[in-house]
Amino acid sequence: MNCKAVLFDLDGTLIDTSELIFRSFAYALDTVLHTEIPREELLWTFGRPLSMIMDTLGGDKADALLDAFRDYSVAHETEIALFPHVVDTLTQLRAMGIKTAIVTSRIYISTMRDLEILNLDPALFDVI
């Protein structure tokens, strides 16, 4: 097999954001809709665009729900972490001449902010 490129999702693949995502949902749902949704019932949201999720959950309050989610996430973003061996793996792929990319449903500025927080060099990726 001749591998030319490896595409990585960001959340749950390169960085561990699951707990922050769950807490951000809890905060937004409580603040805007005054409700709770069990974690198990939020699993369908992972990997989907946030605006679509908020439309589904919040209806006419989707924008407020999205704002609350983002406010909480940004205020607590330093709680995220790289999964073990991410930098070593990316460095090895580069040394092998294999292209790498981040593919995510996140907005670009949020992706870049998390890379900066985690000191993950964007130069390790050919495309973000």
Side-chain angles (χ1 to χ4, degrees):
M1 181 170 84
N2 186 10
C3 181
K4 295 181 181 179
V6 178
L7 308 179
F8 294 95
D9 188 14
L10 187 62
D11 296 301
T13 302
L14 296 176
I15 61 176
D16 187 357
T17 54
S18 296
E19 187 61 31
L20 178 58
I21 290 170
F22 282 127
R23 288 196 322 266
S24 297
F25 270 118
Y27 173 81
L29 289 164
D30 181 52
T31 302
V32 177
L33 301 178
H34 312 293
T35 191
E36 293 180 23
I37 296 177
R39 287 180 178 216
E40 304 79 44
E41 292 180 29
L42 290 171
L43 290 175
W44 70 269
T45 66
F46 281 61
R48 290 179 170 78
L50 199 51
S51 59
M52 181 209 69
I53 296 164
M54 297 313 185
D55 284 340
T56 302
L57 294 176
D60 63 343
K61 294 184 178 182
D63 289 341
L65 201 57
L66 182 59
D67 289 343
F69 182 98
R70 285 187 174 149
D71 289 346
Y72 187 92
S73 292
V74 168
H76 296 87
E77 65 191 354
T78 56
E79 298 172 17
I80 62 174
L82 283 175
F83 280 113
H85 311 293
V86 165
V87 174
D88 292 339
T89 300
L90 293 169
T91 302
Q92 286 179 339
L93 290 170
R94 282 251 180 271
M96 295 167 59
I98 297 173
K99 305 272 187 200
T100 58
I102 293 176
V103 292
T104 180
S105 62
R106 281 228 222 151
I107 60 174
Y108 183 77
I109 194 166
S110 171
T111 298
M112 297 308 290
R113 186 175 56 241
D114 281 356
L115 295 182
E116 182 179 338
I117 288 167
L118 296 167
N119 294 315
L120 186 57
D121 186 358
L124 289 170
F125 303 95
D126 296 283
V127 177
I128 298 175

